[in-house]
Amino acid sequence: MLRYFLSRIVMVVPTLLIIIALAFFLMRLAPGGPFDSERALDPEIAKNLRRIYKLDRPLLEQFWLYLQSLAHGDFGPSLHWRDFTVNQLFATALPISVALGTKAMLTAILAGTALGLVGAMSKGGIGPRLVDGAAIFGIVLPVFVVAPLLQLGFGLTLHILPVGGWNDGAWQNQILPVITLALPQIAIVARLMQAALIDALAMPHIRTLRAFGMPGFHITLHALRAAFPPVVSYLGLAAANVLTGSVIVETIFGIPGMGRYFVDGALGRDYTLVMGTVVVVAGAVLLFNLIVDLVLAWLDPRVRYESRS
Amino acid sequence: MNEPAPMAQLSAAAGALRNWSMLASLSILGLIALLCLIGPLISGHPYDQVYRDYVLVRPSLFAHPDWAEVEEAVSAMARRMHVRIEASRDGEIRHMTLEAAKPIDPRALRAFERSDLFAPARIVASKDEGRRLAIDVPLKRTLFLFGTDANGRDLFTRVLIAGRVSLAVGLLASFVALTIGVAYGAVAGYAGGRIDSLMMRAIEIIYALPFIFFVIVLVMVFGRHFVLIFAAIGAVEWLDMARIVRGQTLSIKQRDFVAAAEALGATTPAILWRHVIPNASGPIIAYLTVLVPRVILLESFVSFLGLGVQEPLTSWGVLIADGARNIQGSIHLLIFPALFLGATLGALQTLGDGFRAHGLRSR
């Protein structure tokens, strides 16, 4: 297990490095700079600005400097919000996005598993078809359609929940964003869970348990363990999807999280801010995939033995 | 000479079409594509025509203006021209009588021309030295099936134009992804060994980057031109295609007909082009039906954030973003583009599910 763990960790570092390099050089290829505005700056001032932010150095040197500061955990100054460093912006934005993301993921896993379980148990009935049908809705209704509809329904018509804003993380403000983020993932998890459970319930060891006259609850637990691997291996992708969705959700609901900063940074050519978000997001996805791999190895011994040979 | 015909896989897919849900999806797709193609030509509105008198009009099956709108417009006109207007209510031509204290300048009647409700006015009779004018004002009939947006543009035409953009981006970006993915996968699979594992490692690395961030960085680089958006999207969506083609190539290259082609002295590119890729076509087509909706969704996503297609050109994502901003009071701005996008995505998804189920069975 330890060996497997180490072999996965060793992969992460070069991957992250390559992603940073890719994003860094791509950004610098883009025409236009962070100091472009409607009124052209005095050339003298522009020159000074470029010097202060070290944008006049050779590109490779800039990259090296950036890596060095990253190694110290410093994302550099924001070029757009010039009174803040990227670290200061992230200090408020990251906890918000993490709170939203984890709640959405937990909701998706719990609700998806429950739905899939119900669908698989009502075999032969309309259960499985209902779950499959609902899953299509998760695909057909993208996040940016669901969000305004929820705002209209619960906020503007029923006046139960606030339409937007963060309000220091009050629970009323979190409900709609979390549901919006979780819905498509619930649909996919439910569908995967149902398919995996139907397969698992047909396995020989479950039949043996049935033959022994085990209680239904027991059998379900065993079937769940066998059904989890395909669902767990999807969770890595789900995390990436939730991160992507959070860009939209944070924009629509006016939540000051990482996604908002990314979009604003991209529109304003804020090199350091966009780089910072890419690094954090890629790091988060890699970390989550690592966790998923470990859970898979724990659930299914074949995975760790295979990697040894 | 036991080369399996790719046609066999295709006919299996055709057999799958007998399934009613797939047939329904295909008809929906065809209908939407046809509407988008010819709809803007017959809707009677250019997609960027602004009707200032018809801002945020609700969807309706009847042509505008109705009597209430005419009355409102006439009273507004009377205020502006400092006259009293009496309008009769009959048929296509409105007979109106204008009364004022001073003689009325006929040039003031241009106001009718400038309005979106009326055609140019014609003076029938002039009494009291021009203080009383009898005029004929034909109505200009305009139909807004889906209503209009906040700028007074016809939503029906815009949804269909947006459909053209979204579908075009979907197809072209998928084509870009197809080209890169098939080439990459076939080369990796056929080369094998260290080259293969190196190329697959590269894919794993790009996988870790959330696509949307990559697309946005690429759109920043390329600029927000319509043609370049699908290049950016295609450039990130080829990964799965490459994996699938590589897997197929690995198994196809062990078949006898490849060995025969090698023995007969065929070059590697010729073997890939003539033997490997055609035999991998079944899974490639099946995956394309998954790829196209993903690409359309990604384009809407980027456009929704304002980083994609730029005004006055539009795409479903742009229209939905517009609808989300005007959701209070004008929900039709959200419903119609969302309906078209949803129907397209759902149909493609159903089609893809069916193709994959049947494609896997036939292999």
Side-chain angles (χ1 to χ4, degrees):
Chain A
M1 190 76 184
L2 186 71
R3 211 190 132 120
Y4 178 74
F5 179 67
L6 285 178
S7 76
R8 300 305 301 182
I9 286 224
V10 167
M11 269 292 295
V12 168
V13 177
T15 309
L16 198 57
L17 258 182
I18 290 172
I19 288 172
I20 293 170
L22 221 78
F24 186 89
F25 290 109
L26 262 178
M27 290 264 303
R28 298 306 163 93
L29 279 176
F35 307 121
D36 291 350
S37 57
E38 273 158 37
R39 248 182 48 204
L41 280 176
D42 192 51
E44 208 49 35
I45 295 172
K47 212 174 122 196
N48 276 336
L49 270 173
R50 294 180 70 78
R51 204 186 60 232
I52 290 167
Y53 288 112
K54 294 176 181 155
L55 292 174
D56 55 346
R57 311 272 185 93
L59 208 53
L60 271 179
E61 194 188 335
Q62 285 184 43
F63 183 57
W64 179 239
L65 284 172
Y66 186 72
L67 282 186
Q68 274 181 332
S69 62
L70 262 191
H72 293 101
D74 179 9
F75 289 107
S78 166
L79 302 181
H80 185 70
W81 283 275
R82 288 186 207 153
D83 294 337
F84 297 94
T85 65
V86 175
N87 288 53
Q88 284 168 332
L89 293 176
F90 283 2
T92 56
L94 195 57
I96 294 176
S97 289
V98 168
L100 272 187
T102 40
K103 278 172 198 162
M105 282 295 281
L106 280 177
T107 315
I109 295 170
L110 291 178
T113 307
L115 277 178
L117 200 62
V118 172
M121 285 300 160
S122 66
K123 51 177 179 259
I126 55 163
R129 288 200 177 181
L130 268 183
V131 169
D132 278 347
I136 286 279
F137 268 96
I139 294 152
V140 167
L141 285 174
V143 173
F144 49 85
V145 176
V146 173
L149 287 180
L150 286 178
Q151 279 180 325
L152 184 71
F154 290 95
L156 296 171
T157 312
L158 296 175
H159 302 289
I160 305 175
L161 294 167
V163 172
W166 184 240
N167 194 16
D168 287 327
W171 62 270
Q172 297 97 326
N173 290 60
Q174 294 198 24
I175 291 180
L176 288 186
V178 166
I179 290 180
T180 312
L181 271 178
L183 269 180
Q185 307 312 320
I186 292 176
I188 299 174
V189 169
R191 213 176 157 187
L192 279 173
M193 193 74 211
Q194 174 180 287
L197 258 178
I198 288 176
D199 281 354
L201 283 171
M203 280 179 179
H205 71 278
I206 299 294
R207 202 180 49 204
T208 312
L209 287 177
R210 280 228 174 91
F212 280 148
M214 288 291 227
F217 175 72
H218 237 96
I219 296 174
T220 313
L221 275 185
H222 279 274
L224 267 181
R225 179 170 174 161
F228 259 126
V231 179
V232 170
S233 52
Y234 169 71
L235 289 184
L237 204 58
N241 286 343
V242 164
L243 273 168
T244 312
S246 71
V247 175
I248 292 274
V249 166
E250 285 172 14
T251 309
I252 293 180
F253 289 100
I255 296 168
M258 300 289 286
R260 281 271 304 280
Y261 279 126
F262 177 72
V263 175
D264 290 347
L267 286 169
R269 286 289 144 71
D270 191 338
Y271 293 146
T272 44
L273 186 56
V274 172
M275 277 305 297
T277 8
V278 168
V279 171
V280 170
V281 165
V285 171
L286 285 174
L287 183 72
F288 203 84
N289 277 325
L290 193 69
I291 295 172
V292 163
D293 280 346
L294 290 180
V295 172
L296 270 181
W298 173 69
L299 276 176
D300 188 349
R302 282 172 297 184
V303 175
R304 29 192 161 139
Y305 289 130
E306 229 168 73
S307 73
R308 202 173 294 171
S309 58
Chain B
M1 287 305 287
N2 59 345
E3 183 167 353
M7 288 317 290
Q9 283 167 343
L10 287 181
S11 71
L17 274 181
R18 267 173 237 139
N19 189 331
W20 71 266
S21 67
M22 289 182 74
L23 207 59
S25 324
L26 205 63
S27 346
I28 289 175
L29 273 183
L31 202 69
I32 288 177
L34 201 69
L35 253 180
C36 291
L37 220 56
I38 60 166
L41 304 176
I42 57 170
S43 75
H45 305 281
Y47 71 96
D48 52 357
Q49 163 100 47
V50 171
Y51 295 94
R52 260 175 301 163
D53 293 320
Y54 293 118
V55 169
L56 289 178
V57 165
R58 288 180 180 285
S60 105
L61 288 172
F62 303 103
H64 289 272
D66 56 23
W67 180 242
E69 281 169 332
V70 170
E71 268 189 335
E72 197 186 318
V74 164
S75 68
M77 204 88 70
R79 250 177 283 125
R80 209 178 319 144
M81 288 159 65
H82 300 292
V83 296
R84 215 156 50 75
I85 301 182
E86 262 170 46
S88 70
R89 180 178 183 171
D90 58 336
E92 286 301 295
I93 297 175
R94 304 290 149 158
H95 303 291
M96 297 191 197
T97 321
L98 276 67
E99 270 187 66
K102 282 183 283 176
I104 300 166
D105 188 347
R107 279 176 294 180
L109 297 178
R110 295 247 179 87
F112 285 104
E113 237 169 290
R114 259 177 262 131
S115 152
D116 294 321
L117 278 66
F118 306 106
R122 196 167 56 81
I123 300 175
V124 179
S126 169
K127 289 176 198 157
D128 299 347
E129 289 140 11
R131 289 192 188 92
R132 265 175 77 94
L133 284 183
I135 56 173
D136 279 356
V137 188
L139 288 184
K140 219 193 279 171
R141 289 279 175 194
T142 32
L143 179 67
F144 299 108
L145 212 51
F146 289 180
T148 58
D149 68 1
N151 289 321
R153 292 174 294 192
D154 177 42
L155 191 62
F156 181 67
T157 315
R158 286 184 72 70
V159 165
L160 297 185
I161 285 284
R164 276 189 195 178
V165 172
S166 289
L167 291 177
V169 169
L171 290 178
L172 290 171
S174 300
F175 183 74
V176 172
L178 177 82
T179 314
I180 303 178
V182 168
Y184 194 96
V187 167
Y190 196 78
R194 288 180 65 106
I195 298 175
D196 178 33
S197 63
L198 205 70
M199 285 173 89
M200 286 300 116
R201 188 57 52 85
I203 283 192
E204 242 169 74
I205 288 169
I206 307 175
Y207 238 106
L209 197 72
F211 293 140
I212 190 80
F213 295 83
F214 210 47
V215 168
I216 289 174
V217 171
L218 282 175
V219 169
M220 276 173 71
V221 175
F222 284 146
R224 293 178 210 161
H225 193 273
F226 158 68
V227 182
L228 295 167
I229 288 162
F230 65 74
I233 295 174
V236 299
E237 286 287 3
W238 56 271
L239 301 173
D240 287 320
M241 184 61 87
R243 281 187 164 178
I244 290 168
V245 173
R246 170 185 171 265
Q248 290 291 310
T249 310
L250 279 181
S251 74
I252 291 170
K253 78 171 178 185
Q254 314 214 328
R255 304 284 283 270
D256 293 339
F257 60 84
V258 173
E262 269 172 4
L264 287 170
T267 57
T268 310
I271 293 176
L272 285 180
W273 183 247
R274 291 269 301 131
H275 301 285
V276 174
I277 293 173
N279 278 298
S281 59
I284 291 176
I285 291 170
Y287 183 66
L288 260 186
T289 52
V290 183
L291 188 62
V292 174
R294 267 174 59 177
V295 167
I296 291 178
L297 195 60
L298 197 58
E299 185 274 329
S300 316
F301 216 108
V302 175
S303 291
F304 182 90
L305 293 172
L307 290 159
V309 182
Q310 297 294 300
E311 290 278 351
L313 206 63
T314 187
S315 84
W316 284 331
V318 177
L319 288 179
I320 290 173
D322 210 30
R325 272 193 294 277
N326 291 301
I327 192 161
Q328 205 168 12
S330 311
I331 195 168
H332 65 273
L333 286 181
L334 177 69
I335 295 295
F336 287 112
L339 217 60
F340 270 71
L341 177 66
T344 309
L345 292 179
L348 281 168
Q349 180 73 29
T350 319
L351 215 56
D353 280 356
F355 269 138
R356 258 182 312 170
H358 287 263
L360 287 178
R361 224 173 291 153
S362 72
R363 245 187 295 149

